[in-house]
């Protein structure tokens, strides 16, 4: 079963901590051992695992991505906007899903790891899709 979790992003580019949403889906599933897949069904947003304990970390990551793939009018595909085109390229660098083991009914995240939604072309209405696979 896939659980859809809707939310809104607030900025043009941002990292949104969705860890609490994902933990709730895991808890509600009752699965003790397995795998949690968190998927972004968008072409201008992705998923990553990283630290969210220091807000400057997100600022650094966002700044580096904007440096690597700046929004510019010279992208060949600009059906929507140059920011949309840059978002498509950034998604290729990040990916659209993360996989986190479940043990003892909990996500096995590292001490400073969080599940982060990577917005590249907001603000928008978004969703993540969470699937829990039970170990058999």
């Amino acid at each position: 079963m896939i659980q859809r979790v809707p939310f809104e992003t607030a900025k043009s580019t941002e990292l949104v901590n969705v860890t609490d949403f994902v933990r709730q889906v895991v808890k509600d599933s009752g699965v003790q051992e397995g795998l949690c897949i968190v998927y972004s069904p968008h072409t201008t947003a992705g998923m990553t695992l990283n630290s969210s304990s220091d807000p400057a970390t997100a600022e650094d990551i966002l700044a580096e991505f904007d440096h690597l793939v700046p929004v510019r009018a010279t992208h060949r595909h600009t059906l929507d906007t140059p920011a949309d085109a840059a978002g498509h390229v950034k998604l290729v660098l990040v990916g659209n899903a993360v996989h986190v083991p479940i043990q003892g009914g909990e996500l096995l995240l590292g001490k400073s790891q969080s599940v982060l939604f990577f917005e590249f072309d907001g603000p928008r209405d978004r969703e993540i899709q969470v699937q829990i696979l039970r170990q058999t």
Side-chain angles (χ1 to χ4, degrees), residues 6-27:
F7 58 97
E8 295 178 7
T9 59
K11 300 177 183 176
S12 59
T13 60
E14 66 179 310
L15 284 166
V16 179
N17 189 338
V18 295
T19 309
D20 289 342
F21 293 131
V22 176
R23 280 193 172 118
Q24 189 61 51
V25 173
V26 170
K27 180 179 177 184

Side-chain angles (χ1 to χ4, degrees), residues 18 22 36-40 47 96-99 115 128-130:
V18 295
V22 176
C36 176
I37 302 167
V38 185
Y39 171 74
S40 166
M47 298 300 309
N96 61 0
V98 296
H99 306 80
V115 181
I128 56 171
Q129 297 174 5
V130 183

Side-chain angles (χ1 to χ4, degrees), residues 43-114:
T43 60
T44 58
M47 298 300 309
T48 192
L49 297 173
N50 212 307
S51 175
S52 65
S53 56
D54 181 349
T57 302
E59 293 171 17
D60 288 341
I61 292 169
L62 292 169
E64 289 301 318
F65 263 81
D66 287 341
H67 175 75
L68 289 169
V69 185
V71 173
R72 61 184 195 275
T74 58
H75 282 108
R76 292 186 189 133
H77 77 288
T78 55
L79 181 62
D80 292 326
T81 66
D84 179 72
H88 292 162
V89 176
K90 290 175 181 179
L91 174 60
V92 171
L93 298 174
V94 171
N96 61 0
V98 296
H99 306 80
V100 183
I102 300 168
Q103 186 175 52
E106 300 287 333
L107 292 171
L108 273 181
L109 291 169
K111 185 176 180 178
S112 64
Q113 276 186 322
S114 295

